[in-house]
Amino acid sequence: MKNDEPTVGRRVLLRTAVFLGIAAASTLVTAGESQTPLPGAGPAPAGGPPPAGAAGAPGLLPAGPPEKSYRLRPMTAEAPARPPLVKPAVRARPILGLPDDAAHASAMALTFDDGPDPRYTPAILDTLARYQVRATFFVCGEMATDNRDLLRRMVTEGHVIGNHTWTHPLIPKLSRPALLSEIGRTSEVVQQTVGEPPLWFRAPYGAWNRAAFEIGADLGMEPLAWTLDTLDWKEPGTGAIVSRVQAGAGPGVIVLNHDAGGNRAQSVQALATYLPQLLARGYRMTLPTLPPR
């Protein structure tokens, strides 16, 4: 038993030292919390906790969740909510012509289908810019996806882009899923390129059916047809195209031209000829107006 006495003594000394160390640490913490404010420091704000991260408030924990809780909050929490999309009514027929009112008493609208085509669309855009005229371009997705720079130019110069399906098919021969793909993919390309989806849709060959009206409306588009076909797609000659436009011109007329889908050199030349003639006759070229929703 005598051999254990030094060991017992060392244990007692060790426990005593630990106890004294804890007491000393407690004294230091208490002194730090009650120390006198530094000269020149302003008074503590009255009422409410201090702002998170504010200096001069040692020992006080900020109210609310832990510091890293911001990771649980979505970055878009404070973004303004987008207004819901107001879809147009499902029509039984496409829109034919401009509104019959005083604002369109001398107005006509130019439209171009099947593009954009880098061989012809730039020249058409140049002519429109020369006479400060805006038009509507019904684009095919397979052409648009490879010529996005022309889509951007159209929007920059004030033109409107419409949806003309992806591959220009005959709509009544398509299944509903196939038609949805044709129309939906084209709208996606336009939106990805210029930031906004098209608001107008035109059926290739003017061949509409119920599914086309329903899908177009579901994607937020109005169906737009034409009242004057230049027949430029037949390549009848520049003179024939010009004569047809001059004979069919009138208030509210929507002119169908093409900037792709074949050799459109005659279309380019015809536009450069008949456009200044129409303007000289007092017609003004305008854009289609969306009906109230």
Side-chain angles (χ1 to χ4, degrees):
M1 296 295 293
K2 291 183 179 180
N3 293 336
D4 294 335
E5 290 179 359
T7 303
V8 173
R10 284 193 294 271
R11 290 177 181 173
V12 173
L13 290 175
L14 180 59
R15 291 174 181 173
T16 302
V18 171
F19 175 80
L20 292 176
I22 293 174
S26 177
T27 302
L28 291 174
V29 171
T30 303
E33 291 179 350
S34 60
Q35 61 184 347
T36 304
L38 295 175
L60 294 179
L61 295 178
E67 182 182 14
K68 295 183 179 180
S69 65
Y70 72 90
R71 296 180 181 175
L72 303 178
R73 299 194 298 268
M75 296 298 291
T76 57
E78 298 180 1
R82 292 185 178 182
L85 174 66
V86 180
K87 298 179 181 179
V90 177
R91 298 184 180 275
R93 55 179 295 186
I95 295 173
L96 293 167
L98 300 175
D100 186 15
D101 55 31
H104 295 86
S106 61
M108 296 176 59
L110 299 180
T111 65
F112 297 86
D113 287 10
D114 300 355
D117 189 318
R119 297 171 295 177
Y120 310 110
T121 306
I124 289 174
L125 289 171
D126 290 344
T127 298
L128 296 174
R130 184 179 308 122
Y131 295 101
Q132 299 181 350
V133 165
R134 296 182 296 170
T136 303
F137 289 83
F138 285 94
V139 303
C140 290
E142 64 179 0
M143 299 295 292
T145 192
D146 293 329
N147 298 283
R148 299 182 184 231
D149 56 326
L150 289 175
L151 296 185
R152 286 186 282 267
R153 179 181 173 184
M154 290 172 185
V155 172
T156 298
E157 296 182 2
H159 305 294
V160 169
I161 297 177
N163 187 319
H164 202 42
T165 73
W166 189 269
T167 61
H168 202 275
L170 190 61
I171 284 179
K173 293 187 176 182
L174 296 181
S175 66
R176 190 181 183 94
L179 179 57
L180 177 58
S181 176
E182 284 275 341
I183 301 175
R185 291 172 63 200
T186 302
S187 286
E188 288 177 1
V189 167
V190 174
Q191 182 168 13
Q192 291 170 0
T193 305
V194 302
E196 296 290 342
L199 298 178
W200 296 98
F201 172 70
R202 174 175 284 173
Y205 311 106
W208 305 85
N209 65 4
R210 179 68 179 179
F213 291 122
E214 291 176 348
I215 292 173
D218 193 54
L219 294 176
M221 294 182 290
E222 292 280 3
L224 185 69
W226 60 85
T227 53
L228 173 57
D229 187 350
T230 64
L231 298 180
D232 61 342
W233 51 275
K234 291 184 175 182
E235 300 178 28
T238 300
I241 298 172
V242 173
S243 296
R244 188 169 179 82
V245 173
Q246 292 286 11
V253 167
I254 299 177
V255 184
L256 170 63
N257 303 274
H258 293 80
D259 62 332
N263 186 334
R264 300 300 176 228
Q266 295 177 7
S267 303
V268 172
Q269 296 167 5
L271 175 68
T273 302
Y274 75 66
L275 180 55
Q277 293 175 355
L278 291 177
L279 296 174
R281 290 172 58 182
Y283 290 108
R284 59 185 180 85
M285 303 300 118
T286 187
L287 298 172
T289 305
L290 286 170
R293 297 186 181 181

